[in-house]
Amino acid sequence: MEKAGNEELMRRIRELKEEAGATILAHNYQRKEVQEVADFVGDSLELSRKAASVKAKLIVFCGVRFMAETAAIVNPNATVLLPDACAGCPLADMIDENILAEWKKDHPRAKVVCYINSSAAVKAMSDICCTSANAIKIVQRLRGEEVIFIPDENLGRYVSSKTGKKLILYPGFCPTHLVLRPEMLLAMKEKHPNAKTIVHPECRSDVIDLADAALSTSQMLHFAKESDAHEFIVGTEIGLIHRLELENPSKSFYAASSLLVCPNMKRTTLEKVVECIERQRHVIEVPKEIRVGAARAIEEMLVE
Ligand code: CIZ
């Protein structure tokens, strides 16, 4: 059978969305064509706020599992579908409830700040969630308290350097951001001497040290718009380049490395979006006893 082209698939998705009364949310790291068919594109913080406020009964979440879980937690009245059931997050999988229970036992007075890249069960055992866009603010709120920061060590180290607060760091990492090495960035800077370098705080600290700024994806979008510079080297998942180019047509963006590709984010295709709506499959379910605890940690973050 001949494969349908993107235009045809996008037309079909719009039709299905209308019939099903669905809203499509997509992360900044999704494929270009998936971002184009979405009702809203953003980072985890923006997407969780959006998921909480949409009126639609059906949310199709184009992202990875922990993000779709977050949507299901903040909006228990909606059915949340994940187009590819295997779109996970290796960073989120680096810690589970048993490991966290051990860490809490070792530091009984510590507050637990958990990065949104974590399972619902881990969120339920944490005091407050954070994303890369608000991690510094969230940790600053806990002034004076001992803090365990899970699971991304690089982000935790960056937050610690910005807040001056010593954090108990967990040794988790994002395999995609970890591929970026200082020598790659130096080579790019040599090739594009007038470019500003922006990297994600999930990158190694020796990479962050070489950059003009360490920023979440929403902060990178803001930075690129506001900056007088015309060229930017971008040290995060390459999916963001699409939005950067779209929103800044007169500026140039260079991926810091062509290896900055999250295979899980790229699992979502237009075909899978069609299939999941047609067959109403890959429903994200969070058991009530976990949902209540995770919702508390997420809401604590959202009050800001
Ligand atoms: O917070 C998010 O969505 C992630 C995973 C990255 C970012 O900076 O947007």
Side-chain angles (χ1 to χ4, degrees):
M1 203 172 65
E2 205 179 302
K3 275 178 100 180
N6 281 358
E7 285 307 316
E8 174 58 18
L9 290 165
M10 283 160 114
R11 193 197 51 72
R12 179 70 185 133
I13 290 170
R14 292 193 181 105
E15 211 171 75
L16 285 167
K17 207 174 69 164
E18 191 69 26
E19 279 166 27
T23 289
I24 301 182
L25 304 183
H27 191 268
N28 287 329
Y29 294 157
Q30 288 288 290
R31 292 169 187 271
K32 170 175 180 277
E33 62 274 17
V34 172
Q35 293 189 31
E36 280 171 10
V37 87
D39 295 291
F40 185 83
V41 182
D43 69 359
S44 299
L45 183 60
E46 294 165 332
L47 291 170
S48 48
R49 287 193 194 283
K50 199 73 189 170
S53 65
V54 291
K55 297 282 173 284
K57 282 275 161 281
L58 186 67
I59 296 175
V60 179
F61 204 107
C62 301
V64 294
R65 180 167 293 270
F66 77 81
M67 296 177 177
E69 267 186 2
T70 303
I73 291 163
V74 297
N75 190 342
N77 297 321
T79 299
V80 178
L81 304 179
L82 183 65
D84 186 311
C86 297
C89 171
L91 167 60
D93 293 342
M94 285 176 195
I95 188 162
D96 65 16
E97 310 90 282
N98 297 326
I99 302 175
L100 181 53
E102 288 298 317
W103 278 56
K104 287 176 69 154
K105 213 171 359 159
D106 289 344
H107 304 279
R109 277 183 303 280
K111 293 275 187 221
V112 179
V113 175
C114 91
Y115 191 27
I116 195 133
N117 298 43
S118 53
S119 68
V122 164
K123 287 183 177 80
M125 290 173 67
S126 301
D127 292 285
I128 185 163
C129 254
C130 74
T131 72
S132 43
N134 64 13
I136 293 175
K137 255 199 229 162
I138 298 285
V139 166
Q140 275 168 341
R141 264 208 242 162
L142 301 172
R143 218 181 295 273
E145 298 185 81
E146 195 181 12
V147 171
I148 300 174
F149 190 94
I150 56 166
D152 191 281
E153 186 173 17
N154 285 330
L155 174 63
R157 193 178 294 117
Y158 176 71
V159 169
S160 175
S161 75
K162 289 289 165 189
T163 56
K165 189 168 171 65
K166 197 168 177 305
L167 302 173
I168 301 161
L169 300 177
Y170 184 81
F173 58 90
C174 164
T176 300
H177 284 96
L178 212 69
V179 301
L180 189 57
R181 305 249 152 193
E183 57 277 17
M184 297 173 176
L185 210 50
L186 286 170
M188 285 300 285
K189 282 162 82 81
E190 203 173 308
K191 199 166 161 196
H192 304 286
N194 297 321
K196 289 268 183 216
T197 303
I198 49 181
V199 302
H200 198 274
E202 287 175 22
C203 290
R204 296 157 44 125
S205 57
D206 51 4
V207 164
I208 293 179
D209 289 345
L210 292 172
D212 292 297
L215 304 166
S216 71
T217 59
S218 55
Q219 291 165 346
M220 285 184 185
L221 287 157
H222 183 75
F223 183 93
K225 200 168 283 175
E226 297 301 314
S227 171
D228 291 337
H230 288 96
E231 296 177 278
F232 301 84
I233 297 166
V234 183
T236 194
E237 213 281 344
I238 57 163
L240 184 69
I241 303 256
H242 172 58
R243 251 192 96 183
L244 285 165
E245 288 176 341
L246 200 69
E247 294 180 14
N248 304 278
S250 64
K251 298 184 178 182
S252 300
F253 299 92
Y254 315 115
S257 162
S258 58
L259 300 174
L260 283 162
V261 180
C262 170
N264 284 286
M265 282 287 177
K266 299 310 187 242
R267 291 188 81 97
T268 310
T269 59
L270 292 177
E271 283 89 348
K272 287 179 192 168
V273 175
V274 168
E275 233 174 70
C276 93
I277 310 179
E278 275 180 349
R279 297 164 72 172
Q280 297 276 305
R281 66 175 194 172
H282 310 318
V283 176
I284 297 294
E285 317 250 21
V286 181
K288 185 158 181 253
E289 63 281 11
I290 291 177
R291 186 173 60 71
V292 172
R296 177 198 35 75
I298 296 167
E299 277 154 20
E300 195 63 35
M301 162 182 87
L302 293 178
V303 291
E304 278 197 85

